[in-house]
Amino acid sequence: MPTDDFTSMEHAFDERIVRLLHQQLTGEVLTTEEQQELDTWKNTSLSNTALYEKINDEAAVQQMLQTWHQIERNREQNKIRFLAMLQQLQPSSISKRPLLRFLNNQVFRYAAAVVLLIGVVTFFWFNQHKPLEPGNKVVSVDKNMPIAPGRDGAILTLADGSTMVLDSTGNGVVADQNGTSVVLQNGQLAYNTGNGASGVAVYNTVSTPKGRQFKLILPDGTKVWLNAASVIRYPTSFEGNERNISLQGEAYFEVARNAKTPFKVTTGEATTIEVLGTSFNINAYTNENTIRTTLLDGAVRINAYHQTATLKPGQQAAVKPSKGQLVVLNAVNTDQVMAWKNGLFNFDDASLDEVMRQLERWYDIEVVYEKGIPTAHFGGEINKQNTLQDVLHILEGSKVDFQLEGRKLIVKP
């Protein structure tokens, strides 16, 4: 937290401030003392001011609610799929959470209060697992301009080496590749295969820098969600008996079914994932020591270092290049694996360096450890639409201090 008089209050202020904000949003008149306390809190930091303005802005509240609706729906769908796979629950016993709805502008105050409480529930749930310690603080965080979260966008590299920045390109046909039209529509890239293809393989590459994620549909209809700092290379039309692509980074695939033409993903130096039609996630960042393939639906076969494994839904293949080892893990937490796609950070039992690598990729920052990597583990989920400063405030119960200098985050023991 900031190094000012407000620091001594730690996060005990949250319960009271939340109550005052809730009173104000629902139309209850505050006393002079309560209003003064709320104004003091609001003016203490840039992030407090931003939060106050956000929950008093109807359009922002509606967008936040829509984001949380999507997060909850995706989380519930993953849970249902996972439980059904384990056959631990009957379909009739699985109840879906009701989703909030915007009925009209008259309920805006109450909707804003709901958004506020959603965020605070996330905060307190997180801190029940990691209670605050006296003296913990985030150093100098609020003295920086808020660092915004990542957004949709990517760079398309065509067969001739020319590039296009897709988050600044309008809708429509952006290129023609060997008789195949490359179309950008509402932030999603797709390929319309024509009849004029020469039969010569032509490859495109889509890469997401730090702070960007992107969705594309491959020429065979396979849907791909690309996480930040990732690269996928693929032909503009699939010919022959196999559909071969390569991946570096992280992506979630929903593969178009074609029993006659297996879909293969090559990642790393010696790992190939083969599927027919299925949903799975691959995490293959070069700065992670394990390549993880997690199956949600269907079946995939993993080949790595002369070892082979066939996955069932809910299983994960962990390939360790340093040891040339392939291990299959059962009953994996698919909510945690899919959190990135569903708009969340899921830090359940995550180490500090694992958390920092995710923040580096999403917020486009550099993380530096002042005296080695402190031992700390986390729990809970955080909305990825928070600013970096908001996330650091939530993480400050970890017995680790942070100092933010521009886009460099210094981790102090």
Side-chain angles (χ1 to χ4, degrees), residues 7-55:
T7 306
S8 62
M9 298 174 67
E10 296 293 350
H11 264 81
F13 81 91
D14 275 84
E15 292 185 70
R16 178 165 177 78
I17 293 300
V18 168
R19 182 178 62 79
L20 294 178
L21 287 169
H22 187 273
Q23 288 177 228
Q24 183 185 69
L25 288 167
T26 53
E28 185 175 339
V29 178
L30 302 181
T31 66
T32 302
E33 291 76 13
E34 289 174 333
Q35 185 63 58
Q36 184 176 4
E37 182 178 355
L38 189 58
D39 290 341
T40 299
W41 168 81
K42 181 183 69 173
N43 296 325
T44 299
S45 69
L46 290 173
S47 60
N48 289 355
T49 302
L51 174 61
Y52 183 86
E53 293 175 351
K54 184 181 293 184
I55 62 178

Side-chain angles (χ1 to χ4, degrees), residues 156-160 162-164 166 169-184 189-194 202-204 234 236:
L156 170 65
T157 302
L158 301 174
D160 63 1
S162 60
T163 61
M164 296 182 178
L166 297 179
T169 305
N171 290 335
V173 176
V174 297
D176 183 86
Q177 295 284 273
N178 194 33
T180 298
S181 297
V182 186
V183 181
L184 184 65
L189 198 67
Y191 287 75
N192 296 331
T193 304
V202 173
Y203 286 84
N204 283 181
Y234 52 90
T236 58

Side-chain angles (χ1 to χ4, degrees), residues 236-288:
T236 58
S237 63
F238 289 102
E239 306 291 342
N241 298 324
E242 293 181 346
R243 294 171 286 169
N244 294 301
I245 70 164
S246 63
L247 171 72
Q248 177 182 308
E250 184 167 25
Y252 169 70
F253 293 84
E254 291 183 355
V255 176
R257 187 171 297 277
N258 186 338
K260 296 181 180 180
T261 311
F263 186 93
K264 292 186 177 181
V265 183
T266 301
T267 185
E269 296 181 354
T271 302
T272 302
I273 299 95
E274 179 179 347
V275 305
L276 295 177
T278 188
S279 303
F280 62 100
N281 190 83
I282 300 176
N283 184 314
Y285 286 108
T286 55
N287 63 348
E288 302 285 351

Side-chain angles (χ1 to χ4, degrees), residues 144 147 365-368 403-410:
N144 296 266
I147 294 181
I365 59 171
E366 176 190 4
V367 175
V368 176
Q403 181 174 337
L404 190 58
E405 297 179 355
R407 303 196 80 88
K408 177 185 289 187
L409 179 63
I410 303 171

Side-chain angles (χ1 to χ4, degrees), residues 348-367:
D348 281 347
D349 198 30
S351 63
L352 177 63
D353 55 327
E354 289 173 330
V355 170
M356 291 300 106
R357 286 197 295 272
Q358 290 190 52
L359 298 187
E360 275 188 314
R361 291 191 283 261
W362 186 236
Y363 292 98
D364 188 14
I365 59 171
E366 176 190 4
V367 175

